[in-house]
Amino acid sequence: MIATTMKILIVEDESKTGDYLKQGLSEAGFIVDLCRDGLDGLQLALSESYDLLILDVMLPGLDGWQLLQALRKAGKDIPVIFLTARDQVGDRVKGLELGADDYLIKPFSFAELLARVRTLLRRGKTTELSVLTAADLEMNILKRKVTRSGERIDLTAKEFILLELLLRRQGEVLPRSLIASQVWDMNFDSDTNVIEVAVRRLRAKVDEGFSPRLIRTVRGMGYVLDVPDAD
Ligand code: CA
């Protein structure tokens, strides 16, 4: 058996981020090409065979959307992860609609990126990522629709992102610091109870009147969404 090394193309114009990603992924055992311009990125993606693309949105030459569109038009079905800014909620939807497979909100941890990369490479092309579920709770990312037991739940934009984070990391206790940086552009030492308030509101919408309760506080640690074992 010959182990094949996976090839990844990063298109990112911020040199620090690009270099950091390239180094990290190379050390993780991937063959990595880095491109700082959208047009060059598209040419490389069309001429070489990559297993995965990591695309920044704002790029010189061609932006991430245009690159992805051109790629899909050319029939290239490579999995794509977008790197998007926190305040561009609508962008994530746009990216998924255009055929991206996943996205990460900047700033993200390298461990997080690596986990997503490995998941995508394992699964290959994934469309099911756009629908997340836990028990009878269902979140459709593309339609921005959340239901529980078939009942529609209306969420604010922040609540949507928060619930999505909890669902994607189901079973994992998420520290408040991580939630603060992923959902709000905040440091964990910010003197604010905004996270507690948001989680309480989200829980009222998602869990009240339903069973089982999915969102739990883990005292001193953070929050977790999981489906409790039946007794
Ligand atoms: Ca950029």
Side-chain angles (χ1 to χ4, degrees):
M1 283 272 281
I2 300 162
T4 49
T5 309
M6 298 284 196
K7 276 182 79 176
I8 297 177
L9 174 64
I10 303 166
V11 190
E12 165 66 89
D13 61 321
E14 291 159 38
S15 53
K16 248 175 113 177
T17 311
D19 293 342
Y20 169 72
L21 290 180
K22 181 175 180 177
Q23 192 193 340
L25 289 168
S26 301
E27 281 168 6
F30 298 101
I31 295 174
V32 186
D33 286 336
L34 172 62
C35 205
R36 306 192 193 274
D37 174 279
L39 269 174
D40 296 346
L42 177 62
Q43 259 163 14
L44 260 178
L46 290 174
S47 59
E48 302 280 316
S49 58
Y50 292 102
D51 299 290
L52 182 90
L53 244 72
I54 298 173
L55 275 185
D56 186 29
V57 174
M58 301 303 288
L59 289 166
L62 211 59
D63 70 28
W65 310 134
Q66 294 168 318
L67 202 167
L68 177 62
Q69 244 169 338
L71 199 66
R72 295 294 187 237
K73 220 176 213 172
K76 285 270 188 182
D77 209 21
I78 317 163
V80 170
I81 299 178
F82 262 113
L83 309 177
T84 73
R86 290 168 303 277
D87 54 348
Q88 295 167 310
V89 177
D91 282 3
R92 308 173 313 142
V93 180
K94 187 173 172 187
L96 291 166
E97 277 170 350
L98 287 175
D101 299 272
D102 206 349
Y103 61 86
L104 273 173
I105 299 168
K106 288 179 177 179
F108 48 83
S109 73
F110 183 74
E112 174 77 20
L113 174 78
L114 191 58
R116 303 284 187 90
V117 164
R118 288 192 165 133
T119 302
L120 270 182
L121 287 175
R122 229 183 353 251
R123 277 198 262 217
K125 171 91 179 137
T126 48
T127 44
E128 72 273 20
L129 263 179
S130 59
V131 178
L132 308 169
T133 61
D136 55 354
L137 175 69
E138 190 176 300
M139 168 177 262
N140 187 314
I141 311 279
L142 289 182
K143 294 181 180 162
R144 300 195 65 72
K145 190 178 161 192
V146 176
T147 61
R148 178 117 197 223
S149 284
E151 261 180 60
R152 177 98 192 214
I153 297 172
D154 288 314
L155 299 179
T156 64
K158 287 289 184 207
E159 288 166 352
F160 192 92
I161 300 173
L162 175 60
L163 181 60
E164 185 187 346
L165 178 67
L166 286 162
L167 273 166
R168 282 191 189 277
R169 309 275 292 258
Q170 219 171 119
E172 233 180 284
V173 178
L174 304 181
R176 287 167 40 182
S177 56
L178 183 134
I179 294 175
S181 67
Q182 290 275 309
V183 182
W184 289 268
D185 182 18
M186 287 190 334
N187 295 320
F188 71 97
D189 54 346
S190 298
D191 185 22
T192 165
N193 65 346
V194 63
I195 294 167
E196 288 91 312
V197 171
V199 171
R200 200 183 310 138
R201 286 205 180 120
L202 180 64
R203 196 185 270 148
K205 291 182 179 180
V206 168
D207 276 340
E208 238 159 62
F210 298 102
S211 177
R213 297 202 159 234
L214 297 172
I215 302 170
R216 288 187 296 123
T217 304
V218 181
R219 210 166 289 280
M221 306 265 297
Y223 302 96
V224 61
L225 185 153
D226 58 8
V227 182
D229 297 328
D231 291 322

